């Protein structure tokens, strides 16, 4: 026997991983939905260390086009939301800060995004954005 999982959009911005079809045909049920924010992607500019997300994918720019800026806090979202953020410009470095605001990053260390193809994937649990994964792609 095996457990098969599939993902599909259920039409209200959630991705359904699996469900119990019926007693006659039991299937694994995932009890915590994974939400995909439905709004269009946009660029968010850091303001006093924070951004507010409205979609599942955002580019992030530094405040006042500074050469580097810290991202301490991500506002918005609900438990189960998944987001991906990337720097808006390779000439401006975004540093996601572990534990300064509401980011809990892998191994407890900050993540410096200094290439426009670096990215950070996060899952919101309660009020804390937990790192799922990152990619640091140097040219």
């Amino acid at each position: 026997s095996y457990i098969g999982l599939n993902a599909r959009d259920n039409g209200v911005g959630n991705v359904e991983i699996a469900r119990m079809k019926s007693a006659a045909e039991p299937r694994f049920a995932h009890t915590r939905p994974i939400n995909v924010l439905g709004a269009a992607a946009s660029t968010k500019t850091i303001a006093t260390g924070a951004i507010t997300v409205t979609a599942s994918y955002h580019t992030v720019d530094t405040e006042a086009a500074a050469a580097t800026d810290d991202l301490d806090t991500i506002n918005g979202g609900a438990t189960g939301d998944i987001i991906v953020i990337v720097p808006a410009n390779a000439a401006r470095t975004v540093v996601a800060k572990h534990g300064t605001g509401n980011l809990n990053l892998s191994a407890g260390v900050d993540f410096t995004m200094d290439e426009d193809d670096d990215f950070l994937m996060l899952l919101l649990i309660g009020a804390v954005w937990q790192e799922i994964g990152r990619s640091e792609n140097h040219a």
Side-chain angles (χ1 to χ4, degrees):
S1 71
Y2 64 93
I3 296 175
L5 300 176
N6 73 353
R8 70 178 180 86
D9 183 343
N10 69 2
V12 293
N14 294 325
V15 175
E16 182 177 273
I17 300 299
R19 75 162 56 180
M20 186 70 76
K21 274 191 100 159
S22 69
E25 190 180 351
R27 299 255 169 91
F28 174 81
H30 185 269
T31 58
R32 178 178 248 158
I34 297 171
N35 305 321
V36 179
L37 300 170
S42 64
T43 298
K44 299 296 179 176
T45 301
I46 298 170
T48 319
I51 61 170
T52 299
V53 295
T54 55
S56 292
Y57 175 82
H58 288 292
T59 56
V60 178
D61 208 348
T62 60
E63 189 167 4
T68 187
D69 202 358
D70 292 343
L71 176 62
D72 306 320
T73 302
I74 298 176
N75 298 309
T79 292
D81 285 348
I82 293 176
I83 60 169
V84 175
I85 58 173
V86 300
N89 187 314
R92 296 191 288 272
T93 299
V94 173
V95 181
K97 302 294 284 182
H98 168 77
T100 303
N102 68 345
L103 304 181
N104 185 18
L105 302 180
S106 180
V109 297
D110 300 345
F111 178 43
T112 299
M113 294 182 284
D114 54 4
E115 299 286 337
D116 57 5
D117 57 356
D118 290 347
F119 72 84
L120 182 62
M121 181 181 288
L122 303 159
L123 168 69
L124 185 61
I125 302 295
V128 178
W129 287 98
Q130 307 282 344
E131 181 177 343
I132 295 173
R134 67 176 73 180
S135 181
E136 189 169 7
N137 299 298
H138 292 288

